[in-house]
């Protein structure tokens, strides 16, 4: 329910003063735009540099990126029926990537470049939002902190939708700050459009709306502004409902999720504690009708993840990248704290010596992050590497050998370089991923898979790393039992998150 309260005295006059100040003259307006541009430019440029550094990740591509690569290379006639059965939640992203690959089909660089650009836009948005809420220096610091966060750099170099969602959420939050300072239909429409675009790009972006609602309430905004926010947010939710209901029928895609990852929860907890510590620093107060920093940043930092964890008690669905945008809340608080800690000498008790010591101490932080940044740009930083799997298959196989994926969903590894698998016979495949409108294709019955295997002298088995749980389906049991009973191991390649093994009949290794 949207809260209402009587209008406060002087609010109308305050709004007129703000408008008159902002538009006193064209020259002053140009100066304001130049100031905004300067604040946004430096974090965006830094993000572009760091995002392009090691973007190839030594030519690797992990399984989720392989899905993007496959789906974005399907025609719209092939993509549409696939989205009826799987991955509708990423449908808009796949369509956009399809268009991008038609323009530039440059392998892993083309796959990740949109994410780099999107995260640069997000960095610019964080800086502008910080400037709007706490001043120019705080905004600049916030943008730089955002760029240096390892999670930001990780997903800036990932061919998935999360960087785009983060950018859309950040800019919708910026427009919310703008429209509450100077209400207008165009700004409200822009806020609603960006919020809806973020939700259509990934449904869990809707969890930012409670954070925005908390910001509107806690900032003590006028009744008319709160009512307008309720209308726009309600329209976004209503527009999202059809996609949300449809994608619920595909919820089995999340069956691999268990209890929230303790490492991811630990990262979230550390950022929350750090954000609370930063929130103790003094922050310049905005005008009466504007959002304030802490009511914006703290809910943005806490609520989306907290709500997703609570929803995961009903059905596991928590992965930190689904609400990646929460790190913007930490960046805003850290930027304001840095503005206070590094305030100029002579300002509110600051001395030159203290400023020097603090500057040197803070300069150590990026240096400490260098090993993390190097690791993030290595293949080992991801769950697996589809390209490495392909190379191992090439090394161990000969034309005409049999091929098995254990389990069937590991067939996604072939999507990175599908032509490299054409010389082998996929013994379990019934219909290909494209023909079956699925991600992994459909497989034959266990009996038919067994019969096909017994016709072969050599089989290359591509599966999970040692120690992973095995599927109990008829097909997977047939694969494992036939390999164990009728074949012997000739060679094995252990890779990050995968194992490729060459089996042969006795005497044919």
């Amino acid at each position: 329910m949207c809260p209402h309260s009587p209008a406060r005295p002087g609010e109308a006059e305050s709004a007129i003063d703000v408008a008159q100040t902002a538009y006193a003259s064209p020259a002053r307006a140009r100066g304001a735009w130049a100031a905004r541009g300067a604040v946004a430019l430096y974090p965006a440029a830094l993000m572009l540099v760091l995002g392009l550094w090691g973007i190839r990740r030594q030519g690797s591509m992990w399984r989720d990126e392989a899905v993007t690569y496959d789906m974005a290379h399907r025609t719209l006639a092939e993509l549409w029926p696939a989205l009826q059965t799987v991955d509708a939640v990423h449908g808009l992203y796949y369509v956009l990537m399809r268009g991008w690959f038609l323009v530039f089909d440059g392998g892993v660089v083309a796959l990740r470049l949109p994410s780099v650009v999107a995260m640069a836009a997000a960095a610019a948005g964080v800086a502008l939002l910080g400037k709007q809420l706490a001043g120019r220096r705080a905004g600049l610091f916030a943008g730089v902190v955002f760029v240096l966060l390892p999670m930001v750099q990780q997903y800036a170099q990932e061919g998935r939708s999360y960087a785009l969602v983060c950018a859309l959420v950040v800019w919708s939050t910026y427009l919310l700050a703008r429209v509450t300072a100077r209400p207008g239909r165009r700004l409200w429409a822009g806020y609603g459009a960006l919020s809806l675009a973020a939700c259509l790009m990934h449904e869990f972006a809707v969890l930012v709306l409670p954070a925005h609602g908390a910001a509107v309430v806690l900032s003590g905004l006028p009744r008319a502004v709160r009512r307008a926010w309720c209308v726009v947010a309600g329209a976004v939710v209503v527009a999202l409902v059809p996609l949300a209901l449809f994608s619920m029928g595909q919820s089995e895609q999340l069956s691999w999720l268990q209890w929230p990852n303790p490492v991811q929860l630990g990262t979230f907890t550390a950022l929350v504690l750090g954000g609370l510590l930063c929130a103790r620093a003094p922050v310049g107060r905005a005008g009466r009708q504007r959002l304030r920093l802490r009511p914006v940043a703290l809910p943005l930092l806490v609520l989306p993840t907290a709500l997703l964890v609570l929803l995961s008690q009903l059905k596991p669905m928590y992965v930190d990248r689904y609400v990646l945008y929460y790190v913007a809340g930490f960046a805003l608080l850290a930027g304001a704290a840095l503005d206070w800690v590094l305030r100029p000498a002579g300002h509110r008790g600051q001395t030159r010596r203290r400023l020097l010591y603090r500057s040197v101490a803070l300069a150590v932080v990026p240096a400490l992050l260098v090993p993390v940044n190097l690791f993030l740009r290595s293949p080992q930083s991801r769950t697996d590497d589809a390209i490495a799997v392909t190379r191992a298959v090439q090394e161990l196989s000969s034309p005409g050998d049999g091929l098995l994926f254990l389990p069937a969903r590991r067939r996604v590894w072939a999507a990175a370089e599908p032509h490299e698998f054409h010389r082998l016979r996929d013994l379990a495949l019934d219909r290909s991923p494209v023909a079956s409108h699925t991600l992994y294709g459909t497989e034959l019955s266990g009996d038919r898979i067994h019969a096909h295997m017994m016709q072969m002298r050599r089989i290359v088995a591509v599966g999970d790393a040692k120690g992973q749980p095995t599927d109990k389906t008829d097909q997977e049991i047939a694969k494992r039992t036939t390999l164990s009973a009728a074949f012997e191991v000739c060679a094995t390649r252990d890779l990050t998150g995968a194992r490729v093994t060459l089996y042969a009949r006795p005497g044919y290794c």
Side-chain angles (χ1 to χ4, degrees):
M1 181 178 295
C2 299
H4 303 290
S5 61
R8 299 174 178 175
E11 286 175 345
E13 291 81 0
S14 177
I16 294 173
D17 291 342
V18 170
Q20 289 176 340
T21 301
Y23 296 96
S25 68
R28 188 166 185 175
R30 287 194 297 270
W33 277 105
R36 290 194 193 103
V39 169
L41 178 62
Y42 296 121
L46 180 60
M47 185 68 258
L48 283 175
V49 171
L50 293 178
L52 294 174
W53 167 39
I55 189 173
R56 291 183 54 83
R57 209 162 61 234
Q58 302 176 30
S60 63
M61 182 191 301
W62 80 290
R63 67 180 70 156
D64 280 15
E65 291 183 307
V67 170
T68 298
Y69 194 77
D70 173 40
M71 297 290 273
H73 279 86
R74 300 187 190 189
T75 66
L76 292 180
E78 294 168 340
L79 183 58
W80 178 251
L83 296 176
Q84 308 302 304
T85 61
V86 66
D87 247 5
V89 67
H90 296 295
L92 177 58
Y93 175 67
Y94 293 148
V95 171
L96 293 177
M97 290 300 291
R98 168 64 182 167
W100 168 242
F101 276 120
L102 290 175
V103 175
F104 175 48
D105 196 349
V108 293
V109 174
L111 178 67
R112 296 171 187 145
L113 192 57
S115 293
V116 174
V117 174
M119 206 60 93
V126 169
L128 289 177
L129 180 58
K131 177 181 180 296
Q132 181 82 6
L133 298 175
R136 181 177 179 180
R137 280 167 44 92
L140 183 59
F141 283 131
V144 172
V145 169
F146 178 81
V147 169
L148 294 179
L149 290 172
M151 282 182 66
V152 169
Q153 295 195 41
Q154 176 180 350
Y155 292 104
Q157 293 188 334
E158 191 140 304
R160 297 296 282 171
S161 64
Y162 309 113
L164 278 75
V165 174
C166 184
L168 289 168
V169 167
V170 166
W171 279 93
S172 71
T173 308
Y174 173 67
L175 282 188
L176 178 63
R178 292 289 306 279
V179 75
T180 55
R182 187 169 59 88
R185 290 184 178 181
R186 293 180 62 181
L187 285 176
W188 278 120
Y191 167 71
L194 287 182
S195 298
L196 180 59
C199 294
L200 294 177
M201 194 70 69
H202 196 286
E203 292 170 18
F204 288 146
V206 75
L207 296 177
V208 78
L209 292 180
H212 286 174
V216 169
V217 172
L218 295 175
S219 293
L221 298 180
R223 178 179 179 181
V225 173
R226 286 191 262 184
R227 183 188 296 118
W229 179 84
C230 289
V231 171
V232 175
V236 170
V237 172
V238 169
L240 180 64
V241 166
L243 176 61
L245 293 176
F246 183 80
S247 63
M248 286 177 62
Q250 302 175 358
S251 60
E252 283 303 311
Q253 284 185 261
L254 298 178
S255 60
W256 59 274
L257 287 174
Q258 302 299 322
W259 178 252
N261 185 302
V263 174
Q264 295 180 2
L265 283 180
T267 300
F268 167 67
T269 302
L271 288 179
V272 169
L273 293 176
L276 291 173
L277 180 63
C278 292
R280 299 183 63 183
V283 179
R285 293 180 61 84
R288 181 178 295 177
Q289 288 194 353
R290 296 182 181 180
L291 292 179
R292 299 197 303 274
L293 179 80
R294 295 189 189 94
V296 172
L298 284 171
L300 181 59
L301 172 61
V302 175
L303 284 184
T305 299
L307 291 173
L308 189 56
V309 170
L310 289 175
L311 290 173
S312 293
Q313 308 308 306
L314 304 176
K315 181 178 178 63
M317 60 182 69
Y318 173 76
V319 182
D320 59 355
R321 59 181 178 266
Y322 292 168
V323 286
L324 173 65
Y325 50 84
Y326 84 87
V327 300
F330 172 80
L332 290 169
L333 293 167
L338 287 174
D339 181 32
W340 168 255
V341 171
L342 300 179
R343 62 193 182 278
H347 180 68
R348 301 187 69 175
Q350 181 79 294
T351 64
R352 291 186 177 182
R353 175 175 295 182
R354 186 180 299 168
L355 177 60
L356 176 62
Y357 288 162
R358 290 175 174 178
S359 300
V360 171
L362 290 170
V364 174
V365 176
L368 295 176
L369 292 175
V370 169
V372 178
N373 293 333
L374 291 173
F375 174 72
L376 290 176
R377 288 159 177 83
S378 69
Q380 291 73 30
S381 65
R382 301 315 197 263
T383 303
D384 52 33
D385 182 1
I387 304 297
V389 169
T390 302
R391 299 291 175 264
V393 171
Q394 288 177 320
E395 179 185 345
L396 295 179
S397 65
S398 298
D401 285 348
L403 175 67
L404 289 175
F405 293 96
L406 299 91
R409 58 184 174 273
R410 296 299 169 252
R411 190 173 282 105
V412 70
W413 286 329
E417 293 182 328
H419 57 279
E420 298 294 346
F421 291 82
H422 290 166
R423 63 196 184 96
L424 305 178
R425 181 185 174 191
D426 193 332
L427 303 175
L429 185 63
D430 181 19
R431 301 177 68 203
S432 71
V434 173
S436 61
H437 311 308
T438 63
L439 296 180
Y440 317 123
T442 57
E443 294 201 335
L444 302 166
S445 66
D447 290 340
R448 294 187 64 187
I449 293 173
H450 170 77
H452 285 178
M453 292 175 67
M454 296 304 294
Q455 297 171 8
M456 306 302 298
R457 291 181 177 178
R458 289 162 43 105
I459 296 176
V460 177
V462 181
D464 288 328
K466 185 178 180 180
Q468 293 298 309
T470 57
D471 288 14
K472 306 301 182 183
T473 64
D474 176 59
Q475 291 92 334
E476 300 305 323
I477 292 173
K479 296 173 192 177
R480 294 194 300 268
T481 56
T482 305
L483 287 174
S484 176
F487 293 81
E488 60 184 16
V489 175
C490 300
T492 298
R493 298 290 183 272
D494 287 313
L495 310 167
T496 302
R499 167 176 281 195
V500 180
T501 305
L502 173 63
Y503 289 87
R505 293 295 189 91
Y508 286 95
C509 275

